[in-house]
Amino acid sequence: MDGGNSAAEESASQLEEEIGRVVEEARQLQESAASHISRSFNEEQTLRQRANSIDSSIRRCRSLLHSVLSRRLIDAKLADKLEDELQRAKCVVSDGDAASFLPTKSQGSFLRMFLGPINVRASRKDVQLKVKEEYNSYRDRTALLFLLFPSALLILRSWLWNGCLPAFPVQLYQAWLLFLYTGLALRENILRANGSDIRPWWIKHHYCAMIMALVSLTWEIKGQPNCAAKQRGVQLFLQWAMMQGVAMLLQNRYQRQRLYTRIALGKAKRMDVVWGETAGVDGQLWLLCPILFILQASLLGFEAYVGLQLLRTAFVRVVTEWQVIFCGFLLVLMAVGNFLNTVQTLLTKSRFKAKMKRVKSKPELD
């Protein structure tokens, strides 16, 4: 009996020692982790200061270079060389691992509304690039559906539904559009927070499209009698959506190749997304660029036409719902915004090319 008690006491003593050792190891681990976090924080702050200092130095040097060049105090070829070196240094800082130490862009109220006050900026470049690749994949998938969905509705309207669209398929399509544009807006805001250069207008364009899709869900789709006149606006919108799907498929291909070229030349960051480019590069894009430009111009015109037709159907009292007026106004607004943004892009490119020609012609004049 005494032997059994002695063994139990020894076992209890060993268990106590084991628990004490585990508790001590946990305490040491906590101290080591706290020390590591403190060192990492201090090192991170130092790297942030260096990154901000170098970024400010690059901007200062670029400003000085432009000032000296405008007063013709430096050779144009040397200025070009120095500008290229500054651009490469800018890409190294803003497109490499050091980019995570630069000040982050504001995430905006849209992300806070959907996701709350969380930080969506990835600290590692490979994670940021995965976010971008997922965005490209999402655009590829939705571009195909953007073409197929309205095409199927229009084909079924002619073959199966005797020229009169039922309400449910149209509302299902409008619900999908709401999901599509919300997903695009969320992804684009996250990309901007991670250093992408997506133009603010395209995000605002998707905000307008989200609102239009939401309003159109409350739009009563009327049938017979006089179905063709009542659904004229819906038919025009579906035709415009088909054109938009074709444009998105071509743009996705063009933008991907164009962006790879710009990254290879050091003129773009790996997180950049090229929207609505109309300038081409040598080789395989000579055919695609004119097609894209013509298609973009047609889309702008047709988008405005659909919006005006919706307003017209409301004013001549064919369809009198407020949703028709609202959607028509939004389509016209988006068409005008797209046109102004395209013109701004073309003017910026033409000014840049004119500046490069002047810089290159100065040595010949001298």
Side-chain angles (χ1 to χ4, degrees):
M1 188 70 178
D2 291 339
N5 290 336
S6 176
E9 290 176 359
E10 183 178 354
S11 177
S13 177
Q14 291 176 353
L15 179 60
E16 184 180 2
E17 291 178 1
E18 179 70 16
I19 292 175
R21 184 181 63 81
V22 170
V23 170
E24 180 63 21
E25 288 179 352
R27 186 185 63 80
Q28 292 177 0
L29 175 62
Q30 167 61 24
E31 291 177 354
S32 299
S35 176
H36 172 73
I37 291 174
S38 178
R39 288 196 307 271
S40 299
F41 177 79
N42 292 333
E43 292 174 359
E44 182 178 333
Q45 292 302 110
T46 301
L47 289 172
R48 286 187 187 280
Q49 292 175 1
R50 290 179 59 188
N52 290 334
S53 175
I54 293 173
D55 189 53
S56 299
S57 297
I58 291 173
R59 289 199 300 268
R60 186 179 67 255
C61 289
R62 180 168 285 169
S63 177
L64 289 174
L65 178 61
H66 291 169
S67 175
V68 170
L69 182 61
S70 64
R71 289 181 289 173
R72 300 187 179 184
L73 300 178
I74 188 174
D75 181 69
K77 290 185 177 179
L78 178 58
D80 274 351
K81 179 183 176 182
L82 295 175
E83 177 68 27
D84 288 341
E85 291 178 355
L86 282 174
Q87 181 61 32
R88 282 195 292 270
K90 177 70 175 177
C91 284
V92 168
V93 174
S94 61
D95 198 30
D97 294 328
S100 60
F101 300 106
L102 292 172
T104 59
K105 296 180 181 179
S106 174
Q107 295 182 182
S109 57
F110 185 79
L111 280 179
R112 288 197 300 270
M113 179 176 64
F114 278 90
L115 304 179
I118 65 172
N119 182 19
V120 296
R121 182 179 175 88
S123 59
R124 290 167 46 190
K125 181 57 66 174
D126 60 330
V127 177
Q128 292 180 348
L129 293 175
K130 285 181 181 178
V131 172
K132 178 188 169 183
E133 288 304 315
E134 197 281 331
Y135 169 75
N136 287 333
S137 176
Y138 182 78
R139 284 194 61 194
D140 290 338
R141 296 193 307 270
T142 54
L144 189 58
L145 287 174
F146 214 109
L147 174 62
L148 295 179
F149 213 144
S151 302
L153 287 177
L154 289 174
I155 291 172
L156 290 173
R157 172 182 175 271
S158 300
W159 290 2
L160 185 63
W161 295 325
N162 299 320
C164 195
L165 289 165
F168 178 72
V170 176
Q171 290 175 339
L172 182 63
Y173 174 64
Q174 292 163 342
W176 177 80
L177 284 180
L178 178 60
F179 169 79
L180 162 68
Y181 286 121
T182 303
L184 281 173
L186 282 171
R187 286 166 171 81
E188 287 162 358
N189 276 280
I190 292 173
L191 281 173
R192 277 186 62 83
N194 281 277
S196 183
D197 72 335
I198 296 177
R199 287 179 178 270
W201 161 249
W202 294 112
I203 302 179
K204 294 175 183 176
H205 177 274
H206 290 152
Y207 292 161
C208 292
M210 284 171 52
I211 296 172
M212 185 176 66
L214 183 62
V215 170
S216 65
L217 279 172
T218 66
W219 180 1
E220 182 183 359
I221 307 297
K222 294 186 176 181
Q224 301 293 355
N226 199 18
C227 179
K230 293 177 181 177
Q231 294 188 356
R232 178 60 177 167
V234 177
Q235 182 181 354
L236 287 172
F237 180 81
L238 292 175
Q239 292 172 355
W240 169 80
M242 289 173 57
M243 293 178 62
Q244 180 72 16
V246 174
M248 288 174 67
L249 287 170
L250 289 176
Q251 274 189 335
N252 288 351
R253 172 179 168 81
Y254 165 69
Q255 288 168 355
R256 215 66 51 79
Q257 298 184 37
R258 173 64 173 161
L259 185 59
Y260 291 155
T261 302
R262 288 173 59 81
I263 291 173
L265 294 174
K267 296 181 180 180
K269 299 180 291 183
R270 286 180 291 173
M271 284 299 295
D272 285 354
V273 177
V274 184
W275 272 94
E277 286 275 4
T278 52
V281 294
D282 294 337
Q284 70 274 25
L285 297 177
W286 281 112
L287 176 63
L288 191 57
C289 293
I291 293 175
L292 271 176
F293 182 78
I294 295 171
L295 192 57
Q296 182 76 6
S298 302
L299 277 170
L300 293 177
F302 199 61
E303 186 175 30
Y305 173 73
V306 173
L308 292 173
Q309 283 296 109
L310 288 176
L311 293 174
R312 179 176 172 274
T313 59
F315 291 142
V316 299
R317 299 194 176 279
V318 176
V319 181
T320 57
E321 286 86 353
W322 67 269
Q323 294 93 331
V324 179
I325 300 175
F326 190 84
C327 290
F329 173 76
L330 274 181
L331 279 171
V332 173
L333 176 65
M334 289 189 289
V336 172
N338 289 344
F339 174 76
L340 294 176
N341 186 74
T342 302
V343 170
Q344 183 183 12
T345 300
L346 292 174
L347 290 176
T348 301
K349 284 184 173 295
S350 64
R351 284 196 295 265
F352 177 76
K353 290 180 179 179
K355 178 181 176 181
M356 294 302 295
K357 287 181 180 179
R358 287 197 302 269
V359 170
K360 291 180 180 179
S361 65
K362 284 179 183 177
E364 298 177 359
L365 295 175
D366 292 340

